Amino acid sequence: MTLHEHRLPGFVELAEPGTGAQGEVVLARHESGGPPVAIKYLAADLLGDTAARSLFRDEAQMLKRVDNPHVARLLDYLESPWGAAIILEAVPGRPLRKVLDEHEGALTPEAALATLKGSLLGLAAAHAVGVVHRDYKPGNVLVQDDGQSKLIDFGVAVLTGQGGQAGTPAYMAPEQWDGGPATPATDLYAATGVFVECVTGEKPFAGTTLAELKAAHSEGFTSFERVPEPVRPLVRHGLAKSPSDRAWDAYEFVSELESVAVQAYGPDWERRGLLALGAVAAAVVTAVPLAMLGGALLAPGASAAGTAAGTAAGTAAGHASTGLAQGAASVDVMAKTGTSASKGFLSKVGGPKGAAAIGTVGVGAVIAAWLFRPSEPGVGGEDHGLLHAGLTRPGALTSQPNMPASEGPTLDAKISIAPARVKPGTTVRMVVQVRARMPYGGKYLPGGRRQCFGKDANRQDIVQGYDWTVGGGDSPQHDESPGSGWQTVGLNLALYRSPPAEREKLAGLTSPLLLRAPPVKTDNVEAYVRSECAYMTEWTETRTLTLPGSTVVRPGRYLVSPINPLRVTKTIRDGKPIAPAEAGAFVEGTLPMIEVLDS
């Protein structure tokens, strides 16, 4: 238990703490405002333990090294006489462990591959700065509503080459059992093991005791008949007994994965995988921001192999969220609280301008509808929708014939409207959260492998000189600046009468009623993210209007869209228009619905 006097000054706790064996995790917000953060405290009874403090500090140092959209970001580490705290971004989501347990069966191959790819990108970022996670497992992967995942809990991470027995027995590589040096191949072994569990519904190695598990890992994986045939080469490569026979570089393993996935499941495999994974995750009712902190600290000198169950989960359940994954904002805790950080490091954390607030934009959005209407008649309630725009053949637009569909430009919009049941004269408010990806500066080789030369590269063989527009038929506005010129903002809301029975069928929606509602655009963040080889942009649009009388809007149900028409309206390659169909342009998802009552 971390006593109140050992709490970080200046923060208000928003949820009951999750207690682990060696510390606590709380969701909190600074009293002056700002986004929620997750704070991991060292237990009060360990504050006098030099070894425990050192382990805690080491975890923060490891997290400090890694800055990637697929890893939960460290915001600050503080240590003073009152105690020690690791402050991280609060990411709404669900542990993959909980997703698999409640799903009770195998994920689709595409969903399993999407999970593995996201994890590999997070591990690659850690490996690039010399950090080996050593405890990759389903409990340390956080799945968000859009199917994207984040790697969490670096509590037993070490620098490449360091040894020791630590990890979770079900996924520990043979060299971990022997206390050998940890390498990137160690993490890729565990990631492949989790992939096997995702795609088969069963753990890769059977055993109820440490001795049985150690023997199973030493003998090697043999149950290939349980694994879908197209992905067996990936499993064989990733679960090789010897590190030298395994995949070593996570980025190369991602290239291998994408090549297999495209050949076996088509160019849009990742979009379908993220949709499927997000749908499964959404079925897990509670999103747990604190789950990202995963295991509690190991006791000094202890190892997961010695406790069999590994580290205990330190989460606080019950905090549901349907919001987009929160971008991490740098927090200058020391300036607000007057406390000082150990050795003065990391009062602020951030990457290139704007990049800290941008997560990887997924190529899929969860096709789901949430209806929170009151049961009694009258004005009230709220409704939501999700739209995803992309290209199935992006190479036709970017002049990169080897570009996979998963690497193409995308736009995702989460839409909320309230109230969802209205009368004439009711004021209606729509909020649209937009996340977009604009590839730039990359060259794609056969098999889909990417080489990124950056936004300032002066080459003729890289992605450049293209544009695309989603909607915008009711507005001439168009911004030609890099990374934002490909999205035209409409001035009207489009209302579609007599919506189809299945709300995701958008293609048949035509002839909308247009109501003028210019958007107010806020929270705009744009940055070039080298790991994505793309401009990444986020912004929020808010539209407010007073519903006109029944002579304009008749009683009934309407789907409401901020985009009109609901399609990609323009694609330009090297300054010349091409047909959107040539690039496989599409818009899919759901729209929020309002019910107009008779006054």
Side-chain angles (χ1 to χ4, degrees):
M1 172 70 78
T2 304
L3 303 178
H4 181 74
E5 58 264 30
H6 298 295
R7 292 290 206 236
L8 185 62
F11 279 84
V12 178
E13 295 181 9
L14 306 177
E16 290 296 319
T19 304
Q22 301 297 323
E24 284 185 344
V25 179
V26 300
L27 185 71
R29 188 192 303 273
H30 194 267
E31 59 189 12
S32 64
V37 296
I39 305 177
K40 184 174 183 177
Y41 289 104
L42 180 62
D45 57 357
L46 292 177
L47 292 174
D49 189 320
T50 303
R53 274 184 178 266
S54 179
L55 283 173
F56 199 65
R57 191 180 303 120
D58 288 346
E59 179 180 356
Q61 291 281 10
M62 293 298 174
L63 282 166
K64 177 189 176 184
R65 289 171 169 260
V66 186
D67 185 8
N68 183 268
H70 290 279
V71 179
R73 293 184 63 252
L74 174 70
L75 301 180
D76 221 330
Y77 172 71
L78 295 172
E79 185 178 334
S80 75
W82 55 258
I86 296 173
I87 306 174
L88 302 103
E89 63 171 322
V91 184
R94 302 144 183 88
L96 179 60
R97 175 75 279 150
K98 189 172 181 66
V99 172
L100 294 177
D101 289 345
E102 297 202 10
H103 182 57
E104 295 182 348
L107 301 178
T108 66
E110 296 94 326
L113 286 164
T115 304
L116 178 59
K117 179 181 175 181
S119 299
L120 289 174
L121 291 174
L123 290 172
H127 298 162
V129 292
V131 174
V132 179
H133 190 280
R134 288 205 305 177
D135 197 23
Y136 180 92
K137 59 183 178 182
N140 285 340
V141 178
L142 194 66
V143 181
Q144 300 172 106
D145 285 344
D146 61 358
Q148 294 289 345
S149 59
K150 282 188 183 265
L151 181 61
I152 61 176
D153 196 355
F154 281 69
V156 296
V158 294
L159 297 179
T160 301
Q162 294 180 344
Q165 287 184 318
T168 298
Y171 313 100
M172 282 170 55
E175 64 269 20
Q176 285 178 279
W177 290 93
D178 297 330
T183 67
T186 304
D187 283 343
L188 299 190
Y189 180 96
T192 307
V194 172
F195 170 70
V196 169
E197 184 172 354
C198 289
V199 83
T200 67
E202 300 177 13
K203 288 184 172 64
F205 298 98
T208 57
T209 67
L210 288 176
E212 290 174 349
L213 284 169
K214 181 177 181 180
H217 284 277
S218 298
E219 292 170 4
F221 184 74
T222 58
S223 303
F224 287 99
E225 70 281 355
R226 292 192 281 130
V227 178
E229 187 173 358
V231 297
R232 289 177 188 173
L234 284 175
V235 175
R236 187 172 287 107
H237 195 190
L239 287 181
K241 289 190 292 184
S242 172
S244 61
D245 294 332
R246 279 181 229 141
W248 187 272
D249 183 281
Y251 285 123
E252 290 186 3
F253 203 29
V254 168
S255 296
E256 184 179 340
L257 178 156
E258 289 183 328
S259 178
V260 168
V262 168
Q263 291 179 25
Y265 304 108
D268 65 338
W269 70 270
E270 188 173 9
R271 177 181 61 84
R272 289 184 282 111
L274 289 170
L275 289 174
L277 183 60
V280 172
V284 179
V285 176
T286 303
V288 189
L290 305 189
M292 68 172 174
L293 296 167
L297 295 173
L298 290 175
S303 69
T307 60
T311 54
T315 64
H319 181 86
S321 173
T322 56
L324 290 177
Q326 295 168 339
S330 298
V331 179
D332 191 348
V333 177
M334 293 185 292
K336 294 178 180 177
T337 65
T339 57
S340 62
S342 173
K343 301 181 182 179
F345 83 90
L346 205 65
S347 62
K348 280 193 177 183
V349 179
K353 180 181 178 182
I358 299 179
T360 303
V361 176
V363 298
V366 183
I367 305 303
W370 304 285
L371 294 175
F372 303 119
R373 296 197 181 96
S375 57
E376 71 278 6
V379 172
E382 183 177 0
D383 201 20
H384 302 263
L386 287 161
L387 291 177
H388 170 66
L391 310 171
T392 59
R393 296 182 295 277
L397 179 64
T398 62
S399 302
Q400 291 285 319
N402 298 312
M403 174 183 274
S406 59
E407 291 281 327
T410 58
L411 182 141
D412 291 277
K414 181 168 184 177
I415 310 165
S416 300
I417 192 166
R421 182 175 281 151
V422 298
K423 292 181 178 180
T426 300
T427 298
V428 179
R429 184 172 183 262
M430 173 181 279
V431 178
V432 186
Q433 295 170 295
V434 185
R435 309 176 74 193
R437 179 180 191 274
M438 186 74 164
Y440 195 84
K443 179 180 179 180
Y444 292 83
L445 306 178
R449 183 181 178 186
R450 181 183 70 203
Q451 294 179 331
C452 189
F453 296 94
K455 64 186 176 81
D456 298 320
N458 185 20
R459 299 173 60 106
Q460 296 300 315
D461 59 344
I462 61 175
V463 178
Q464 57 183 356
Y466 72 96
D467 194 6
W468 74 315
T469 300
V470 181
D474 56 357
S475 169
Q477 297 181 6
H478 194 63
D479 180 4
E480 299 295 341
S481 61
S484 61
W486 30 271
Q487 214 284 328
T488 297
V489 179
L491 297 178
N492 299 319
L493 285 182
L495 276 64
Y496 295 89
R497 182 73 185 270
S498 302
E502 299 180 25
R503 287 174 33 173
E504 67 273 16
K505 292 185 177 180
L506 305 179
L509 297 176
T510 58
S511 304
L513 172 66
L514 298 180
L515 299 180
R516 190 165 183 82
V520 177
K521 189 173 181 180
T522 58
D523 302 327
N524 186 56
V525 181
E526 178 182 299
Y528 186 82
V529 180
R530 182 64 180 259
S531 64
E532 291 297 312
C533 205
Y535 284 95
M536 313 291 276
T537 308
E538 294 181 359
W539 72 89
T540 300
E541 294 180 5
T542 302
R543 302 164 186 253
T544 304
L545 65 87
T546 299
L547 199 71
S550 57
T551 57
V552 178
V553 182
R554 292 180 295 164
R557 290 187 172 186
Y558 295 82
L559 293 180
V560 187
S561 174
I563 297 172
N564 176 57
L566 270 168
R567 57 184 173 84
V568 176
T569 53
K570 181 171 66 174
T571 45
I572 296 177
R573 180 180 61 209
D574 296 327
K576 298 179 180 179
I578 66 170
E582 184 179 341
F586 65 89
V587 176
E588 62 184 8
T590 60
L591 291 172
M593 183 185 295
I594 63 171
E595 182 176 1
V596 180
L597 305 175
D598 193 330
S599 60

